Amino acid sequence: MVTGDQCRLYRQKCLSPVAEAIIYTKCRCSVTVSHVFLTLTVKEQMPNIFQDLSADLKPRVFFPAVSIGLILGLLVVILEISFAAMIFAGELSHLAIRGAGLTLFGGFICCLVVALTSSFKSSISVAQDAPAAIFSGAAAAMAAQTLTGTGDMFMTIVAGLMLSTLLTTVFLFLVARFRLVHFFRYIPYPVIGGFLAGSGWILSTGSLEVMLGAKLDLLNPGMLLGASSLVLWLPGTALAVVLFSVLRKFSHFTILPAALILGVAVFHLALFLADISLDQAREAGLLFEALGTGGLWPVFSWSDMTTVNWQAVFSQLPVLLTIPFIALMGLLLNMNGIELASGREIHMNREIMANSLGNFLAGLGGSHAGYSALSLSMLGLKTGAYSRIVGLTAAVVMGLTLFWGGFLVSIFPKAVLGGFLMLLGFFFLWDWVVESRKKMVWSDYLIVLVILVIIAWLGFFQGVMLGILLSVILFVVRFSQVPVLRNASSGLNIQSSRVRPLPHKKILLEQASRIRVFRLSGYLFFGSVNSLVENIDKQMQGGSDKYFAVMDFSDTTGVDVSSVSAFVRLMNRLGSYGAEVVFTGASPLFLYQLNQHLGLLHSHEHFKSFPELDHGLEWAEDRIIEEQLRLFETGEDIHARTRLFDCVADEMLCRLEQLEQAEKVMHQLDDYAGHLQLETDQVLIRPGEKAGGIYWIQQGKVHEVHHDGVKEISGAEFGPGDVINLKGFFQDTPVPGLYKAGSACRILYFSRENLNSLQKHHPAGAAMLYSVLLKSVTAQPGI
């Protein structure tokens, strides 16, 4: 821990206010931040950790876990050195050994922290490839800017690594703290696939840069095909191809360690047979530069931060800001894969918080960002070593290499390290360029390919942003094809619940086709509304009479503000036809936006809104009846009035005959019915009450009343011969509305028990009753 005196000394030596602020923050706040993380992660889980470790000390768990941990530790050491070679590639290759100390420290600390805090006991978290691949381009740009300016090249890159990893720490912490993980799962699948395919390309080309020791230029074939170059990259590529072919058919955990040992042994045997010394091989570019004796850590001191070129660091801030997002996506993908492959529940917030703590400590050591690895974490479970000892053993191997085994790095061939790096790239490319074709439709798969090409051409940020843009466009196109018009009907098929006199019913029967009802559903946005407008406009054309377009929004989940202008356009078109527009069930926000648009244009006279479809239908029906009655009064349509009078007279005579026949039937069934006498406003059925039978009105009127929370709303009206609660014949269901007498009433009540008795003892009477009920309900509304 840095003391207060050291803080003041460093502040006096600082060449940049930014460096001063960072060092001061590290000195004063590192203990506080660490305490917060430990409180939220390790401290809460400490009893479980000790319990897990004590249970895993049994020989049948301990020895397999240690052996798998040793193998994983060795693999991670090689991987982290490869990532350092990727970051410090080309002109920076002379810094790769020092960089290996940074990446190896990140792998060590992430593995240690997550092994102790993860909900998946064999979880392995390391400084990862994707952040390293993204940062490699930024590292080259920082180095180039430092060469033309001031500052130390290595420490400038270290500062960039620290900044990107600490940004990742904050991002992961906020996502876990405020439980935002589900929001970030909505990233389009093709975008993630394209990103991973792009990662495979960067890893593959980055492996060539590791083996060549220079920046790769694909436009210069001689760089790869020269005799001296072939010796550098061809063996590693052959190793990657062979391992890729073998691992696609076999998955034994000894394949990779055996290939590693065999590759190193064959390389040094070839050097021995060719009588080439290690120094000569190093000069030829086959080995990394020797570090000498001792370990790879520490790599720098805090006083070295005064030599950072902060201008070069902040010039790469757009690239650095993509790394936290990429780390979160990689972590979510890996943990979802672990959950699916293992069949065990993963506590996602806990995993994100654990990886956030690991990144915080790794960032202080200058490492790039990391997160839990899918394949490494599953290795322990698949081999029967599901224990935290796996991760702890791997961390011990990395720690020993980091602090005491740095000299071993110089004997690892670049071809072997580059081959392992290329192998990872091959797996990414195979999974997301070849295998993903079987899982995606062509449109999604093309997005993956486009992102891959853009990443290879321009970079990660441009590729991911273009992929998101293409996915949004594809989503809009697909969503616009989802029909939002649930159904379209006329007033012949759907009427309001208002009970009208027989003449009015006959008028509506003749004129109801002038009411067009369009019931909308789902979410309305500009893409789907445009096709909706064209559909409604087409159905409303061609009529000489005045039409009413009733648009019901009751089943919609929302309306996009961009779609309001489309409705305004529709209203203008319908207005030119002389049609009236009625909106029912629309939200106040939509109506407000609609009025704002109409106010900017002109006053619109053909626009009405109602809270319910029934009210809108009632209003349109009233307009048709008023219009027709006005024609009758002025004598403009004498033939229609005469025809209506004759039709109503015939209907009334038929109705009276039916009522007379019904009275005779009811008189015969008097023993099976209960007799009710109601005064005006007396309640027949209360809301929620189970009536347990049906009611037949002999005399008087009964009103149905609903309460909307503020006032009572009148509904259907029932008169002589009408039936109430026909459903009560089949089952005891609560009645939704209130039924009360509109005048003095006489009512017959048939309970379900009496109806059953009627069916049993008087089948003929039951048949007559059913005939009466069926004729009644065809002439009036029931419930």
Side-chain angles (χ1 to χ4, degrees), residues 398-455:
M398 286 182 275
L400 292 175
T401 305
L402 179 67
F403 294 107
W404 291 286
F407 69 96
L408 296 176
V409 176
S410 61
I411 69 172
F412 283 114
K414 285 186 178 181
V416 175
L417 300 181
F420 271 77
L421 196 61
M422 184 176 288
L423 176 64
L424 292 177
F426 284 171
F427 275 117
F428 275 120
L429 290 172
W430 179 265
D431 289 341
W432 295 101
V433 177
V434 179
E435 293 293 333
S436 65
R437 175 62 195 95
K438 305 173 185 177
K439 307 173 185 177
M440 300 183 186
V441 296
W442 269 108
S443 54
D444 290 334
Y445 181 67
L446 288 176
I447 291 179
V448 173
L449 296 182
V450 169
I451 296 175
L452 170 60
V453 171
I454 297 301
I455 288 177

Short mmCIF file of all heavy atoms in Angstrom, two decimals, residues 398-455:
data_model
loop_
_atom_site.label_atom_id
_atom_site.label_comp_id
_atom_site.label_asym_id
_atom_site.label_seq_id
_atom_site.Cartn_x
_atom_site.Cartn_y
_atom_site.Cartn_z
N MET A 398 0.03 -19.73 -11.88
CA MET A 398 0.29 -18.43 -12.49
C MET A 398 1.12 -17.54 -11.58
O MET A 398 2.01 -16.81 -12.02
CB MET A 398 -1.03 -17.74 -12.85
CG MET A 398 -1.72 -18.35 -14.06
SD MET A 398 -3.26 -17.49 -14.50
CE MET A 398 -4.39 -18.33 -13.39
N GLY A 399 0.81 -17.60 -10.27
CA GLY A 399 1.56 -16.78 -9.32
C GLY A 399 3.03 -17.19 -9.24
O GLY A 399 3.92 -16.33 -9.20
N LEU A 400 3.31 -18.48 -9.24
CA LEU A 400 4.70 -18.95 -9.21
C LEU A 400 5.44 -18.50 -10.46
O LEU A 400 6.60 -18.06 -10.39
CB LEU A 400 4.73 -20.47 -9.09
CG LEU A 400 4.24 -21.06 -7.76
CD1 LEU A 400 4.20 -22.59 -7.83
CD2 LEU A 400 5.14 -20.61 -6.61
N THR A 401 4.80 -18.60 -11.61
CA THR A 401 5.43 -18.14 -12.85
C THR A 401 5.65 -16.64 -12.83
O THR A 401 6.70 -16.13 -13.27
CB THR A 401 4.57 -18.53 -14.06
OG1 THR A 401 4.33 -19.93 -14.04
CG2 THR A 401 5.24 -18.14 -15.36
N LEU A 402 4.68 -15.93 -12.30
CA LEU A 402 4.74 -14.47 -12.30
C LEU A 402 5.87 -13.94 -11.42
O LEU A 402 6.61 -13.04 -11.81
CB LEU A 402 3.39 -13.91 -11.84
CG LEU A 402 3.26 -12.39 -11.76
CD1 LEU A 402 3.32 -11.78 -13.15
CD2 LEU A 402 1.94 -12.02 -11.09
N PHE A 403 6.02 -14.50 -10.24
CA PHE A 403 6.96 -13.93 -9.27
C PHE A 403 8.33 -14.60 -9.26
O PHE A 403 9.31 -13.99 -8.83
CB PHE A 403 6.34 -14.00 -7.87
CG PHE A 403 5.12 -13.14 -7.71
CD1 PHE A 403 3.86 -13.70 -7.64
CD2 PHE A 403 5.25 -11.77 -7.65
CE1 PHE A 403 2.73 -12.92 -7.50
CE2 PHE A 403 4.11 -10.96 -7.51
CZ PHE A 403 2.86 -11.54 -7.43
N TRP A 404 8.39 -15.87 -9.74
CA TRP A 404 9.69 -16.54 -9.66
C TRP A 404 10.12 -17.25 -10.95
O TRP A 404 11.25 -17.71 -11.04
CB TRP A 404 9.68 -17.59 -8.54
CG TRP A 404 9.61 -16.96 -7.19
CD1 TRP A 404 10.61 -16.31 -6.53
CD2 TRP A 404 8.46 -16.90 -6.34
NE1 TRP A 404 10.17 -15.84 -5.32
CE2 TRP A 404 8.83 -16.19 -5.17
CE3 TRP A 404 7.15 -17.38 -6.43
CZ2 TRP A 404 7.96 -15.96 -4.12
CZ3 TRP A 404 6.29 -17.14 -5.40
CH2 TRP A 404 6.68 -16.43 -4.26
N GLY A 405 9.25 -17.32 -11.93
CA GLY A 405 9.58 -18.14 -13.10
C GLY A 405 9.65 -17.38 -14.40
O GLY A 405 9.37 -17.94 -15.45
N GLY A 406 10.02 -16.10 -14.39
CA GLY A 406 10.05 -15.32 -15.60
C GLY A 406 11.04 -15.82 -16.63
O GLY A 406 10.83 -15.65 -17.83
N PHE A 407 12.12 -16.46 -16.18
CA PHE A 407 13.13 -16.93 -17.13
C PHE A 407 12.57 -18.02 -18.04
O PHE A 407 13.09 -18.25 -19.14
CB PHE A 407 14.36 -17.45 -16.37
CG PHE A 407 14.10 -18.72 -15.61
CD1 PHE A 407 14.42 -19.94 -16.15
CD2 PHE A 407 13.54 -18.68 -14.34
CE1 PHE A 407 14.18 -21.11 -15.45
CE2 PHE A 407 13.30 -19.85 -13.64
CZ PHE A 407 13.63 -21.08 -14.19
N LEU A 408 11.52 -18.74 -17.60
CA LEU A 408 10.96 -19.80 -18.43
C LEU A 408 10.29 -19.27 -19.69
O LEU A 408 10.17 -19.98 -20.69
CB LEU A 408 9.94 -20.61 -17.62
CG LEU A 408 10.49 -21.37 -16.41
CD1 LEU A 408 9.35 -22.03 -15.65
CD2 LEU A 408 11.49 -22.42 -16.86
N VAL A 409 9.85 -17.99 -19.63
CA VAL A 409 9.14 -17.42 -20.77
C VAL A 409 10.03 -17.40 -22.00
O VAL A 409 9.56 -17.62 -23.13
CB VAL A 409 8.64 -16.00 -20.44
CG1 VAL A 409 7.99 -15.36 -21.66
CG2 VAL A 409 7.67 -16.05 -19.27
N SER A 410 11.29 -17.14 -21.81
CA SER A 410 12.19 -16.95 -22.96
C SER A 410 12.46 -18.25 -23.72
O SER A 410 13.01 -18.21 -24.81
CB SER A 410 13.52 -16.37 -22.48
OG SER A 410 14.15 -17.26 -21.56
N ILE A 411 12.07 -19.40 -23.18
CA ILE A 411 12.32 -20.66 -23.89
C ILE A 411 11.10 -21.14 -24.67
O ILE A 411 11.17 -22.11 -25.37
CB ILE A 411 12.79 -21.77 -22.92
CG1 ILE A 411 11.64 -22.19 -22.00
CG2 ILE A 411 14.01 -21.33 -22.14
CD1 ILE A 411 11.96 -23.42 -21.16
N PHE A 412 9.96 -20.45 -24.50
CA PHE A 412 8.76 -20.85 -25.24
C PHE A 412 8.84 -20.34 -26.67
O PHE A 412 9.05 -19.15 -26.90
CB PHE A 412 7.49 -20.29 -24.58
CG PHE A 412 7.07 -21.05 -23.36
CD1 PHE A 412 7.10 -20.44 -22.12
CD2 PHE A 412 6.65 -22.37 -23.46
CE1 PHE A 412 6.72 -21.13 -21.00
CE2 PHE A 412 6.27 -23.07 -22.32
CZ PHE A 412 6.31 -22.45 -21.08
N PRO A 413 8.70 -21.21 -27.64
CA PRO A 413 8.76 -20.80 -29.05
C PRO A 413 7.59 -19.89 -29.42
O PRO A 413 6.45 -20.11 -28.98
CB PRO A 413 8.69 -22.11 -29.82
CG PRO A 413 8.96 -23.18 -28.81
CD PRO A 413 8.50 -22.65 -27.49
N LYS A 414 7.84 -18.88 -30.24
CA LYS A 414 6.76 -18.02 -30.73
C LYS A 414 5.76 -18.82 -31.56
O LYS A 414 4.56 -18.53 -31.55
CB LYS A 414 7.34 -16.89 -31.58
CG LYS A 414 8.01 -15.78 -30.80
CD LYS A 414 8.41 -14.66 -31.74
CE LYS A 414 9.03 -13.51 -30.98
NZ LYS A 414 9.40 -12.39 -31.89
N ALA A 415 6.26 -19.82 -32.27
CA ALA A 415 5.37 -20.61 -33.12
C ALA A 415 4.34 -21.36 -32.28
O ALA A 415 3.18 -21.48 -32.67
CB ALA A 415 6.19 -21.60 -33.95
N VAL A 416 4.75 -21.87 -31.11
CA VAL A 416 3.82 -22.60 -30.25
C VAL A 416 2.78 -21.63 -29.67
O VAL A 416 1.58 -21.91 -29.67
CB VAL A 416 4.58 -23.34 -29.14
CG1 VAL A 416 3.59 -23.99 -28.17
CG2 VAL A 416 5.50 -24.39 -29.74
N LEU A 417 3.26 -20.49 -29.18
CA LEU A 417 2.34 -19.52 -28.61
C LEU A 417 1.40 -18.98 -29.67
O LEU A 417 0.19 -18.86 -29.46
CB LEU A 417 3.12 -18.38 -27.96
CG LEU A 417 4.07 -18.79 -26.82
CD1 LEU A 417 4.75 -17.56 -26.25
CD2 LEU A 417 3.30 -19.52 -25.74
N GLY A 418 1.96 -18.63 -30.83
CA GLY A 418 1.12 -18.14 -31.92
C GLY A 418 0.14 -19.19 -32.40
O GLY A 418 -1.00 -18.87 -32.77
N GLY A 419 0.57 -20.45 -32.42
CA GLY A 419 -0.33 -21.52 -32.84
C GLY A 419 -1.52 -21.67 -31.91
O GLY A 419 -2.66 -21.87 -32.36
N PHE A 420 -1.30 -21.56 -30.59
CA PHE A 420 -2.41 -21.65 -29.64
C PHE A 420 -3.35 -20.46 -29.80
O PHE A 420 -4.57 -20.60 -29.69
CB PHE A 420 -1.87 -21.72 -28.22
CG PHE A 420 -1.59 -23.12 -27.76
CD1 PHE A 420 -0.45 -23.80 -28.18
CD2 PHE A 420 -2.46 -23.78 -26.91
CE1 PHE A 420 -0.19 -25.08 -27.77
CE2 PHE A 420 -2.21 -25.07 -26.49
CZ PHE A 420 -1.07 -25.74 -26.92
N LEU A 421 -2.78 -19.29 -30.06
CA LEU A 421 -3.60 -18.12 -30.28
C LEU A 421 -4.42 -18.26 -31.55
O LEU A 421 -5.62 -17.95 -31.58
CB LEU A 421 -2.70 -16.87 -30.37
CG LEU A 421 -3.37 -15.51 -30.24
CD1 LEU A 421 -4.03 -15.38 -28.87
CD2 LEU A 421 -2.35 -14.41 -30.45
N MET A 422 -3.80 -18.77 -32.61
CA MET A 422 -4.52 -18.99 -33.87
C MET A 422 -5.61 -20.06 -33.69
O MET A 422 -6.68 -19.98 -34.31
CB MET A 422 -3.54 -19.42 -34.96
CG MET A 422 -4.19 -19.59 -36.33
SD MET A 422 -3.00 -19.97 -37.63
CE MET A 422 -2.16 -18.42 -37.81
N LEU A 423 -5.36 -21.05 -32.85
CA LEU A 423 -6.36 -22.08 -32.59
C LEU A 423 -7.64 -21.47 -32.02
O LEU A 423 -8.75 -21.82 -32.44
CB LEU A 423 -5.79 -23.11 -31.61
CG LEU A 423 -6.76 -24.21 -31.14
CD1 LEU A 423 -7.18 -25.09 -32.31
CD2 LEU A 423 -6.10 -25.06 -30.04
N LEU A 424 -7.50 -20.53 -31.08
CA LEU A 424 -8.67 -19.86 -30.54
C LEU A 424 -9.41 -19.10 -31.64
O LEU A 424 -10.64 -19.11 -31.71
CB LEU A 424 -8.25 -18.89 -29.44
CG LEU A 424 -7.71 -19.51 -28.15
CD1 LEU A 424 -7.28 -18.42 -27.19
CD2 LEU A 424 -8.75 -20.40 -27.49
N GLY A 425 -8.65 -18.42 -32.51
CA GLY A 425 -9.28 -17.72 -33.62
C GLY A 425 -10.03 -18.65 -34.54
O GLY A 425 -11.14 -18.33 -35.00
N PHE A 426 -9.47 -19.82 -34.82
CA PHE A 426 -10.14 -20.80 -35.68
C PHE A 426 -11.48 -21.24 -35.08
O PHE A 426 -12.47 -21.39 -35.79
CB PHE A 426 -9.24 -22.02 -35.88
CG PHE A 426 -8.12 -21.79 -36.86
CD1 PHE A 426 -7.12 -22.73 -37.02
CD2 PHE A 426 -8.05 -20.63 -37.61
CE1 PHE A 426 -6.08 -22.54 -37.92
CE2 PHE A 426 -7.02 -20.41 -38.51
CZ PHE A 426 -6.04 -21.37 -38.67
N PHE A 427 -11.49 -21.46 -33.78
CA PHE A 427 -12.73 -21.90 -33.14
C PHE A 427 -13.81 -20.81 -33.24
O PHE A 427 -14.98 -21.11 -33.50
CB PHE A 427 -12.48 -22.26 -31.68
CG PHE A 427 -12.00 -23.67 -31.48
CD1 PHE A 427 -10.75 -23.92 -30.95
CD2 PHE A 427 -12.79 -24.74 -31.84
CE1 PHE A 427 -10.29 -25.22 -30.78
CE2 PHE A 427 -12.35 -26.05 -31.67
CZ PHE A 427 -11.09 -26.28 -31.14
N PHE A 428 -13.42 -19.55 -33.02
CA PHE A 428 -14.39 -18.47 -33.16
C PHE A 428 -14.92 -18.40 -34.58
O PHE A 428 -16.12 -18.28 -34.81
CB PHE A 428 -13.75 -17.13 -32.78
CG PHE A 428 -13.77 -16.83 -31.31
CD1 PHE A 428 -12.59 -16.65 -30.60
CD2 PHE A 428 -14.96 -16.73 -30.63
CE1 PHE A 428 -12.61 -16.39 -29.26
CE2 PHE A 428 -15.00 -16.46 -29.28
CZ PHE A 428 -13.82 -16.28 -28.58
N LEU A 429 -14.04 -18.45 -35.55
CA LEU A 429 -14.46 -18.35 -36.95
C LEU A 429 -15.33 -19.55 -37.35
O LEU A 429 -16.31 -19.40 -38.08
CB LEU A 429 -13.23 -18.27 -37.86
CG LEU A 429 -12.43 -16.95 -37.77
CD1 LEU A 429 -11.14 -17.07 -38.56
CD2 LEU A 429 -13.27 -15.79 -38.30
N TRP A 430 -14.98 -20.73 -36.90
CA TRP A 430 -15.76 -21.91 -37.25
C TRP A 430 -17.17 -21.82 -36.65
O TRP A 430 -18.17 -22.11 -37.31
CB TRP A 430 -15.05 -23.16 -36.76
CG TRP A 430 -15.82 -24.42 -37.05
CD1 TRP A 430 -16.67 -25.08 -36.22
CD2 TRP A 430 -15.84 -25.14 -38.28
NE1 TRP A 430 -17.21 -26.19 -36.85
CE2 TRP A 430 -16.71 -26.25 -38.12
CE3 TRP A 430 -15.19 -24.98 -39.51
CZ2 TRP A 430 -16.95 -27.17 -39.13
CZ3 TRP A 430 -15.44 -25.89 -40.51
CH2 TRP A 430 -16.30 -26.97 -40.33
N ASP A 431 -17.23 -21.43 -35.36
CA ASP A 431 -18.52 -21.38 -34.68
C ASP A 431 -19.45 -20.34 -35.28
O ASP A 431 -20.66 -20.57 -35.42
CB ASP A 431 -18.34 -21.11 -33.19
CG ASP A 431 -17.74 -22.30 -32.46
OD1 ASP A 431 -17.81 -23.41 -33.00
OD2 ASP A 431 -17.18 -22.10 -31.36
N TRP A 432 -18.90 -19.17 -35.65
CA TRP A 432 -19.76 -18.05 -36.02
C TRP A 432 -19.79 -17.73 -37.51
O TRP A 432 -20.59 -16.90 -37.94
CB TRP A 432 -19.35 -16.82 -35.22
CG TRP A 432 -19.59 -17.03 -33.78
CD1 TRP A 432 -18.68 -17.35 -32.82
CD2 TRP A 432 -20.84 -16.99 -33.12
NE1 TRP A 432 -19.29 -17.51 -31.61
CE2 TRP A 432 -20.62 -17.29 -31.76
CE3 TRP A 432 -22.15 -16.73 -33.53
CZ2 TRP A 432 -21.66 -17.34 -30.83
CZ3 TRP A 432 -23.18 -16.77 -32.61
CH2 TRP A 432 -22.92 -17.08 -31.27
N VAL A 433 -18.92 -18.38 -38.29
CA VAL A 433 -18.98 -18.20 -39.74
C VAL A 433 -19.52 -19.46 -40.41
O VAL A 433 -20.27 -19.38 -41.38
CB VAL A 433 -17.60 -17.83 -40.31
CG1 VAL A 433 -17.65 -17.72 -41.82
CG2 VAL A 433 -17.11 -16.51 -39.71
N VAL A 434 -19.19 -20.61 -39.88
CA VAL A 434 -19.61 -21.88 -40.49
C VAL A 434 -20.84 -22.44 -39.78
O VAL A 434 -21.90 -22.63 -40.39
CB VAL A 434 -18.46 -22.90 -40.49
CG1 VAL A 434 -18.92 -24.22 -41.11
CG2 VAL A 434 -17.25 -22.35 -41.23
N GLU A 435 -20.71 -22.72 -38.49
CA GLU A 435 -21.80 -23.38 -37.76
C GLU A 435 -23.02 -22.49 -37.60
O GLU A 435 -24.15 -22.98 -37.58
CB GLU A 435 -21.30 -23.82 -36.38
CG GLU A 435 -20.26 -24.93 -36.42
CD GLU A 435 -20.84 -26.25 -36.92
OE1 GLU A 435 -22.06 -26.46 -36.74
OE2 GLU A 435 -20.09 -27.04 -37.50
N SER A 436 -22.81 -21.19 -37.46
CA SER A 436 -23.95 -20.30 -37.24
C SER A 436 -24.89 -20.24 -38.43
O SER A 436 -26.06 -19.87 -38.30
CB SER A 436 -23.47 -18.89 -36.89
OG SER A 436 -22.78 -18.32 -37.99
N ARG A 437 -24.40 -20.60 -39.61
CA ARG A 437 -25.26 -20.60 -40.79
C ARG A 437 -26.43 -21.56 -40.61
O ARG A 437 -27.53 -21.35 -41.15
CB ARG A 437 -24.44 -20.96 -42.04
CG ARG A 437 -25.27 -21.10 -43.31
CD ARG A 437 -25.94 -19.77 -43.66
NE ARG A 437 -26.99 -19.93 -44.64
CZ ARG A 437 -28.28 -20.08 -44.34
NH1 ARG A 437 -28.68 -20.10 -43.07
NH2 ARG A 437 -29.17 -20.19 -45.29
N LYS A 438 -26.23 -22.64 -39.85
CA LYS A 438 -27.29 -23.61 -39.64
C LYS A 438 -28.35 -23.10 -38.66
O LYS A 438 -29.46 -23.64 -38.61
CB LYS A 438 -26.70 -24.92 -39.10
CG LYS A 438 -25.60 -25.50 -39.99
CD LYS A 438 -24.95 -26.70 -39.31
CE LYS A 438 -23.78 -27.22 -40.12
NZ LYS A 438 -23.08 -28.35 -39.44
N LYS A 439 -27.99 -22.08 -37.89
CA LYS A 439 -28.89 -21.61 -36.84
C LYS A 439 -29.61 -20.32 -37.21
O LYS A 439 -30.51 -19.89 -36.49
CB LYS A 439 -28.10 -21.37 -35.55
CG LYS A 439 -27.26 -22.55 -35.10
CD LYS A 439 -26.40 -22.16 -33.91
CE LYS A 439 -25.45 -23.29 -33.51
NZ LYS A 439 -24.55 -22.90 -32.40
N MET A 440 -29.19 -19.64 -38.28
CA MET A 440 -29.73 -18.33 -38.61
C MET A 440 -30.37 -18.33 -39.99
O MET A 440 -29.99 -19.09 -40.87
CB MET A 440 -28.61 -17.27 -38.61
CG MET A 440 -27.89 -17.08 -37.31
SD MET A 440 -26.67 -15.73 -37.44
CE MET A 440 -25.85 -15.87 -35.85
N VAL A 441 -31.32 -17.44 -40.15
CA VAL A 441 -31.85 -17.17 -41.49
C VAL A 441 -30.83 -16.33 -42.24
O VAL A 441 -29.92 -15.74 -41.64
CB VAL A 441 -33.21 -16.44 -41.41
CG1 VAL A 441 -34.25 -17.31 -40.73
CG2 VAL A 441 -33.06 -15.12 -40.66
N TRP A 442 -30.99 -16.24 -43.56
CA TRP A 442 -29.98 -15.58 -44.38
C TRP A 442 -29.77 -14.12 -43.99
O TRP A 442 -28.64 -13.62 -43.99
CB TRP A 442 -30.35 -15.69 -45.85
CG TRP A 442 -29.78 -16.90 -46.50
CD1 TRP A 442 -30.43 -18.03 -46.90
CD2 TRP A 442 -28.39 -17.12 -46.81
NE1 TRP A 442 -29.56 -18.93 -47.44
CE2 TRP A 442 -28.28 -18.40 -47.40
CE3 TRP A 442 -27.23 -16.36 -46.66
CZ2 TRP A 442 -27.08 -18.94 -47.83
CZ3 TRP A 442 -26.02 -16.89 -47.08
CH2 TRP A 442 -25.95 -18.16 -47.66
N SER A 443 -30.85 -13.42 -43.68
CA SER A 443 -30.71 -11.99 -43.36
C SER A 443 -29.85 -11.79 -42.12
O SER A 443 -28.99 -10.89 -42.09
CB SER A 443 -32.10 -11.37 -43.16
OG SER A 443 -32.84 -12.09 -42.19
N ASP A 444 -30.06 -12.61 -41.07
CA ASP A 444 -29.24 -12.49 -39.86
C ASP A 444 -27.80 -12.91 -40.13
O ASP A 444 -26.85 -12.29 -39.63
CB ASP A 444 -29.84 -13.36 -38.74
CG ASP A 444 -31.15 -12.81 -38.22
OD1 ASP A 444 -31.35 -11.59 -38.34
OD2 ASP A 444 -31.96 -13.59 -37.71
N TYR A 445 -27.64 -13.97 -40.92
CA TYR A 445 -26.29 -14.46 -41.20
C TYR A 445 -25.49 -13.44 -42.01
O TYR A 445 -24.29 -13.28 -41.78
CB TYR A 445 -26.39 -15.78 -41.97
CG TYR A 445 -25.04 -16.39 -42.30
CD1 TYR A 445 -24.22 -16.88 -41.28
CD2 TYR A 445 -24.59 -16.47 -43.61
CE1 TYR A 445 -22.98 -17.44 -41.58
CE2 TYR A 445 -23.36 -17.03 -43.91
CZ TYR A 445 -22.56 -17.52 -42.90
OH TYR A 445 -21.33 -18.06 -43.18
N LEU A 446 -26.14 -12.73 -42.91
CA LEU A 446 -25.44 -11.70 -43.68
C LEU A 446 -24.95 -10.57 -42.78
O LEU A 446 -23.89 -9.98 -43.03
CB LEU A 446 -26.36 -11.15 -44.77
CG LEU A 446 -26.63 -12.10 -45.95
CD1 LEU A 446 -27.62 -11.47 -46.92
CD2 LEU A 446 -25.33 -12.44 -46.68
N ILE A 447 -25.70 -10.26 -41.73
CA ILE A 447 -25.26 -9.24 -40.78
C ILE A 447 -23.97 -9.70 -40.10
O ILE A 447 -23.04 -8.91 -39.89
CB ILE A 447 -26.37 -8.95 -39.75
CG1 ILE A 447 -27.54 -8.24 -40.43
CG2 ILE A 447 -25.83 -8.09 -38.60
CD1 ILE A 447 -28.69 -7.94 -39.50
N VAL A 448 -23.90 -10.98 -39.72
CA VAL A 448 -22.69 -11.52 -39.11
C VAL A 448 -21.50 -11.34 -40.06
O VAL A 448 -20.42 -10.90 -39.66
CB VAL A 448 -22.88 -13.01 -38.76
CG1 VAL A 448 -21.57 -13.62 -38.28
CG2 VAL A 448 -23.95 -13.17 -37.68
N LEU A 449 -21.70 -11.67 -41.34
CA LEU A 449 -20.60 -11.56 -42.31
C LEU A 449 -20.19 -10.10 -42.53
O LEU A 449 -19.00 -9.78 -42.64
CB LEU A 449 -21.01 -12.19 -43.64
CG LEU A 449 -21.29 -13.70 -43.62
CD1 LEU A 449 -21.63 -14.19 -45.02
CD2 LEU A 449 -20.11 -14.46 -43.06
N VAL A 450 -21.18 -9.21 -42.58
CA VAL A 450 -20.86 -7.79 -42.77
C VAL A 450 -20.06 -7.26 -41.59
O VAL A 450 -19.07 -6.54 -41.78
CB VAL A 450 -22.17 -6.98 -42.96
CG1 VAL A 450 -21.88 -5.48 -42.88
CG2 VAL A 450 -22.80 -7.31 -44.30
N ILE A 451 -20.46 -7.61 -40.37
CA ILE A 451 -19.72 -7.17 -39.19
C ILE A 451 -18.29 -7.71 -39.22
O ILE A 451 -17.32 -6.99 -38.91
CB ILE A 451 -20.44 -7.60 -37.90
CG1 ILE A 451 -21.80 -6.92 -37.80
CG2 ILE A 451 -19.60 -7.29 -36.67
CD1 ILE A 451 -22.64 -7.38 -36.63
N LEU A 452 -18.14 -8.97 -39.60
CA LEU A 452 -16.81 -9.57 -39.71
C LEU A 452 -15.94 -8.79 -40.69
O LEU A 452 -14.78 -8.47 -40.39
CB LEU A 452 -16.94 -11.03 -40.15
CG LEU A 452 -15.64 -11.76 -40.53
CD1 LEU A 452 -14.66 -11.77 -39.36
CD2 LEU A 452 -15.95 -13.17 -41.02
N VAL A 453 -16.48 -8.47 -41.85
CA VAL A 453 -15.70 -7.74 -42.87
C VAL A 453 -15.32 -6.34 -42.38
O VAL A 453 -14.18 -5.89 -42.53
CB VAL A 453 -16.50 -7.65 -44.19
CG1 VAL A 453 -15.81 -6.73 -45.18
CG2 VAL A 453 -16.67 -9.05 -44.78
N ILE A 454 -16.28 -5.65 -41.75
CA ILE A 454 -16.00 -4.28 -41.28
C ILE A 454 -14.98 -4.30 -40.15
O ILE A 454 -14.10 -3.43 -40.08
CB ILE A 454 -17.31 -3.61 -40.82
CG1 ILE A 454 -18.27 -3.47 -42.01
CG2 ILE A 454 -17.03 -2.24 -40.22
CD1 ILE A 454 -17.72 -2.67 -43.16
N ILE A 455 -15.07 -5.28 -39.25
CA ILE A 455 -14.08 -5.37 -38.18
C ILE A 455 -12.69 -5.62 -38.76
O ILE A 455 -11.69 -5.01 -38.35
CB ILE A 455 -14.47 -6.49 -37.19
CG1 ILE A 455 -15.67 -6.05 -36.34
CG2 ILE A 455 -13.29 -6.84 -36.27
CD1 ILE A 455 -16.16 -7.11 -35.39
#
